[in-house]
Amino acid sequence: MANARITVHTAADIDRIEPEVHGHFSEHLGRCVYEGLWTSDSADEDGYREDVVELLADLEIPVLRWPGGCFADDYHWEDGVGPQEERPRRRNLFWAQGPEDLPEESNAFGTDEFLQLCERIDTEPYLAANVGSGSPQEAANWVEYCNYDGDTELADRRRENGHEEPYGVKYWGLGNENWGCGGQMSPEQYAREYRRYATYVGTQSNLMFDHDIELIACGFEGHEWNRRFLEEINQSRWGVEFPLDHLTLHHYYGRGMNVDEADEDQYDRMLVEALEMERHIERMAGAINAVATTRDIGVIIDEWGTWHPEATADNGLEQPGTVLDALSAAAVLDVFNHHSDVLTMTNIAQTVNVLQCLIETDEDEAWARPTYRVFDLYAPHKGSEAVQTSVDTPTRELADDDEDRELPLVGASASVGDDETYVTVTNLDCREEKAIEVALEGVDLDSATVEAELLFADHDADAEVDADNAEEFTAEELDVSVDSGALIAELPASTVAGISIR
Ligand code: AHR
């Protein structure tokens, strides 16, 4: 008898899962850039960490956001180009680069280093321009430096700095959290700033390049803010046709849950907080639909993931990498699949060593965290068509919860590709296993080839990864049988399955 029944409605398309939904975010914060992506030790000749580059390339990450975060609105890109020995050392207003370090920025890793990293790992760069303390001209100049192929001082400077061809950067964020660290602006104030910046940044793609650039505005988890921002944007002469391609918000969770002290009730609570992502996506899409009636503006979640009390500014926002965190990432990636009709990108925070990083390093080696394994397991969804799934699952009420919230104990999502239907199923119950049954409408499972993998069967939710045990968190084969036209499998507590049906 199954505990949870999943039905995949194979003909009920939601939309294509944009590969960028599996995107990443790197900030000049703690050991993310310095010691993470870039170091003078264990580096190749250009200073990149070969071990990290290899792990990122293996994962085929589609997009990488940089340089912040809060850092973006205190960053002046010209400090980080040209001969490294001539680059100025500056303050980093928000973050020290490591637990032992001062809040200073060497500028050794700048625009060319970042964009060439993206070329190496074949990922689309997403640059966040400084709106809080910068100028429209500085932002427009950055676009010209990166993307222009003509005969100007800035295009020549890029060539002198070693990159003959324009980089063709497509994604440009205008500011970061401008309701907070990016200038403490009201929505109307940010909208007016955004319009000024977008005029100078966005207009460049009309004449100067043969490719489009896409402009990204910052939104907020308080959705009234987003509505007011969009209404003010509409006050320009262009109205809703104003250059604005995506609106973002950030959703972190787990702030009340100390990793090393938490009990299973707190695990449930954190997973419910993670699933609140769904409400945020729907509310932001609702605000866009209500105000920008005649055009598409995509929803981006350009920072998301766990942020536990262990991660403080003093320790470079470092926290342990656990199975529980990875489980929450799986639950959120399922939510993203369900909303592929509005989501154009997401970026988990942050790529290396910081918050819910996928990769951790020490001086000698780099290793994948359980969250990396989840992204790997979910990779077959990228670029496929998400389809509706119904999940009939038991739930558990949160202990001592004022809002009487419940955790659905099993979650799932599905996509249909050229020759494969791919289903991911997560047992969010950290206490007990779940027998699952998966039916696919219109698919004769008796003649299909079914292959399935399972993550974390040998670990509890609180298991923590380190350099020595990282390989223990790789996927193993999952036994799946067919009975009465449905797939049957057992998922141990806190595990994630990926099932391929061809
Ligand atoms: O990712 C850490 C910080 O979280 C970022 O700098 C900021 O945008 C967010 O508040």
Side-chain angles (χ1 to χ4, degrees), residues 139-176:
N141 286 353
W142 203 9
V143 181
E144 183 182 334
Y145 177 87
C146 294
N147 286 0
Y148 189 47
D149 199 17
D151 183 21
T152 63
E153 188 270 337
L154 283 168
D156 282 343
R157 205 176 330 159
R158 182 197 64 243
R159 294 186 187 99
E160 278 158 28
N161 291 338
H163 208 270
E164 182 63 32
E165 298 299 321
Y167 288 105
V169 178
K170 174 169 148 191
Y171 296 116
W172 290 89
L174 299 183
N176 170 77

Side-chain angles (χ1 to χ4, degrees), residues 246-309:
H246 314 264
L247 184 59
T248 76
L249 65 77
H250 298 168
H251 180 49
Y252 289 104
Y253 39 85
R255 291 197 192 241
M257 197 205 99
N258 271 86
V259 177
D260 290 325
E261 293 164 16
D263 59 22
E264 286 163 344
D265 287 344
Q266 286 168 294
Y267 299 171
D268 287 356
R269 181 173 299 274
M270 192 198 87
L271 292 168
V272 164
E273 286 175 14
L275 289 168
E276 281 168 10
M277 184 70 87
E278 178 136 51
R279 185 175 55 87
H280 287 302
I281 296 170
E282 286 169 358
R283 293 197 63 189
M284 183 166 252
I288 291 170
N289 281 340
V291 184
T293 44
T294 57
R295 59 166 306 193
D296 281 343
I297 295 175
V299 174
I300 290 181
I301 312 295
D302 64 7
E303 292 182 28
W304 67 273
T306 57
W307 187 327
H308 298 291

Side-chain angles (χ1 to χ4, degrees), residues 25 27 29 69-70 95 176-177 252 303 307 317 350 355:
F25 162 49
E27 181 168 13
L29 188 175
C70 295
W95 315 108
N176 170 77
E177 294 191 356
Y252 289 104
E303 292 182 28
W307 187 327
L317 299 191
Q350 296 194 8
L355 294 173

Side-chain angles (χ1 to χ4, degrees), residues 28 30-53 84 97 101 106 108-110 113 117 120 352-353 361-366:
H28 286 237
R31 298 190 304 125
C32 183
V33 170
Y34 301 106
E35 292 189 43
L37 299 170
W38 178 268
T39 179
S40 49
D41 300 323
S42 66
D44 68 13
E45 61 193 17
D46 295 320
Y48 300 105
R49 275 196 73 133
E50 278 178 279
D51 44 10
V52 172
V53 168
Q84 296 218 348
Q97 302 298 313
D101 291 335
S106 70
F109 188 90
E113 289 76 19
L117 169 69
R120 272 173 194 240
V352 195
N353 290 326
T361 66
D362 61 19
E363 276 176 22
D364 305 317
E365 44 188 327

